[in-house]
Amino acid sequence: MRTKLDLRKLLSDLVKADLEFIVIGSSALAIQGWEVLPGDLDILTREDQVDRVRDALGVADDEADWVVDGAARRLECLTPAGPVDIYVEVSNSLTFDEVDREATTVMIGEELIVRAGSLGHVRDMRAAVGRKGLPVGAIPPGEHGERPQVIAIDGPAGAGKSTVTRAVASRIGFTYLDTGAMYRSTALAVLQRRADTDDPQLIAEIARSIDIQFREQKVFLDGSDVTALIRSAPVTEATAHIAAYPEVRTVMVDRQRHLFAKGGYVAEGRDTGTVVAPDAPLKIYLTASAEERARRRSLETGGPVDEVLEAIERRDRLDSERKISALKTAEDAVVIDTTGRSIDDVVDEIVDLARDRGIA
């Protein structure tokens, strides 16, 4: 009797062993949000890594057999956590180096980071073993009727979210949505009305009553363009205060979900993929080293790098430790480190992912 597949356990064992591997086939689709229930874990590795992979998975000699299937060659293994196919060859056009260049980094939970092949790799792999199309149930996340056509981009301050999100939205013809701008617009409305910033119930009522719209990458509050005004120092200070109120966050999340239900948004924030749109077909966690983020902010503001770095590290702690909507990586988010990368390069990667998943 075959052991039921424990995908997370198997991947955890491979990651802990610090092995060089890429998840491929239906397993790759499953960990990237597709509705597929793989019967085994398919991985691609270099031939000189096979013995290390077997050891990490606890595979006995009598529980592994080499199989040649069409243009593919793999070691079929039975592990305590379920069956695993270790591919060392798929086809001449689908080598380890080729797949590695195009593979996506996926965060599973808060600890596991693995490389996974794309939809194109899955199709090529199935063609190599004489199969057509995609696995049964492989419905692109973007085609799920209950899922919003939304790309959620989260990450820490200074990771490049605003620039990248705007560019992606422009490239695929979606509306750019800065969820933080909604809180800023609420703060501006509170200040304009001279309301009590220590009254969360009153602020929540104001948040429900105001009209916030995003058009042509500008923010409008009750019909007025407030794109620049919401970035002023008084509004920034007030936003940090009022955004901490659960009453205000509840209103904002409801408003954002109402917008997302219509589809066609690329949204940036800190809890967009984890709280606001957990069913988004594509979630990106954009990050960069603290030093890189400080350097970028220093160029923007003119402040000393060391002071900006200190402020960013403090902000990171606050964002990750707050009780409500803390900054964290969604389990099925694609993690993209922008350190040392150009904006165009990052945008290209996200647009390719969106097209791969049938969103754009």
Side-chain angles (χ1 to χ4, degrees):
M1 181 177 179
R2 285 165 62 98
T3 304
K4 183 178 179 181
L5 182 67
D6 188 341
L7 199 59
R8 183 183 290 270
K9 171 67 167 58
L10 291 168
L11 291 174
S12 178
D13 289 342
L14 294 172
V15 170
K16 289 177 181 176
D18 194 26
L19 296 169
E20 191 175 14
F21 71 96
I22 305 168
V23 184
I24 58 175
S26 56
S27 307
L29 296 185
I31 67 173
Q32 294 182 79
W34 299 64
E35 288 200 343
V36 177
L37 295 175
D40 53 27
L41 168 63
D42 294 318
I43 65 169
L44 177 63
T45 190
R46 301 184 191 279
E47 191 152 3
D48 60 8
Q49 293 273 301
V50 172
D51 288 341
R52 291 189 62 209
V53 172
R54 286 181 55 178
D55 290 343
L57 297 175
V59 180
D61 289 340
D62 61 351
E63 295 177 329
D65 294 298
W66 283 102
V67 174
V68 176
D69 189 358
R73 185 163 67 97
R74 64 179 181 265
L75 183 66
E76 294 187 349
C77 306
L78 185 60
T79 81
V84 178
D85 286 348
I86 307 172
Y87 283 80
V88 293
E89 293 180 30
V90 178
S91 67
N92 291 334
S93 62
L94 203 63
T95 63
F96 182 91
D97 288 336
E98 182 68 25
V99 176
D100 188 46
R101 277 194 295 271
E102 300 178 1
T104 296
T105 302
V106 180
M107 174 75 80
I108 305 173
E110 297 183 0
E111 297 180 356
L112 295 182
I113 300 176
V114 298
R115 301 276 286 163
S118 68
L119 174 62
H121 295 149
V122 175
R123 286 178 171 146
D124 290 347
M125 174 185 165
R126 289 176 67 82
V129 297
R131 299 173 191 153
K132 295 181 179 180
L134 294 171
V136 175
I139 304 171
E143 293 179 7
H144 291 196
E146 74 278 9
R147 292 190 178 187
Q149 289 287 85
V150 172
I151 300 174
I153 302 181
D154 293 323
K161 296 192 302 296
S162 296
T163 303
V164 168
T165 305
R166 285 192 184 94
V168 171
S170 176
R171 183 85 69 83
I172 66 176
F174 277 24
T175 299
Y176 162 69
L177 176 63
D178 176 2
T179 59
M182 298 182 73
Y183 288 95
R184 287 177 174 272
S185 296
T186 300
L188 176 59
V190 169
L191 295 178
Q192 288 177 335
R193 301 180 189 195
R194 300 181 185 276
D196 184 357
T197 56
D198 291 323
D199 187 340
Q201 296 296 340
L202 175 60
I203 297 171
E205 285 301 320
I206 292 174
R208 272 189 284 267
S209 68
I210 58 179
D211 177 47
I212 304 172
Q213 293 188 23
F214 295 85
R215 301 194 302 270
E216 298 178 352
Q217 299 195 7
K218 293 181 179 180
V219 185
F220 293 83
L221 172 62
D222 292 332
S224 298
D225 182 353
V226 294
T227 308
L229 194 54
I230 61 174
R231 301 291 170 181
S232 66
V235 172
T236 298
E237 183 178 353
T239 301
H241 180 66
I242 71 169
Y245 291 130
E247 297 88 346
V248 178
R249 297 199 73 85
T250 297
V251 174
M252 288 292 100
V253 169
D254 285 346
R255 295 192 66 153
Q256 289 159 17
R257 286 175 176 168
H258 179 71
L259 289 173
F260 292 164
K262 302 174 184 177
Y265 284 93
V266 184
E268 66 157 298
R270 288 181 175 80
D271 62 355
T272 312
T274 54
V275 175
V276 184
D279 291 328
L282 177 58
K283 304 171 193 174
I284 304 294
Y285 188 86
L286 212 61
T287 188
S289 67
E291 292 75 15
E292 174 74 1
R293 290 184 283 132
R295 184 188 66 79
R296 294 172 183 171
R297 280 293 169 89
S298 176
L299 291 174
E300 293 175 3
T301 65
V305 175
D306 56 344
E307 292 182 9
V308 176
L309 176 59
E310 184 179 350
I312 279 181
E313 290 176 337
R314 183 170 58 251
R315 176 66 178 273
D316 287 350
R317 286 194 298 273
L318 292 172
D319 282 344
S320 61
E321 294 173 358
R322 65 189 184 192
K323 294 181 179 179
I324 301 171
S325 298
L327 173 65
K328 60 182 180 180
T329 311
E331 287 197 0
D332 53 349
V334 176
V335 180
I336 299 179
D337 191 328
T338 66
T339 306
R341 296 181 63 179
S342 69
I343 296 298
D344 286 344
D345 186 32
V346 174
V347 171
D348 286 345
E349 180 175 352
I350 296 174
V351 170
D352 285 345
L353 285 167
R355 290 172 177 161
D356 202 24
R357 298 190 180 197
I359 303 169

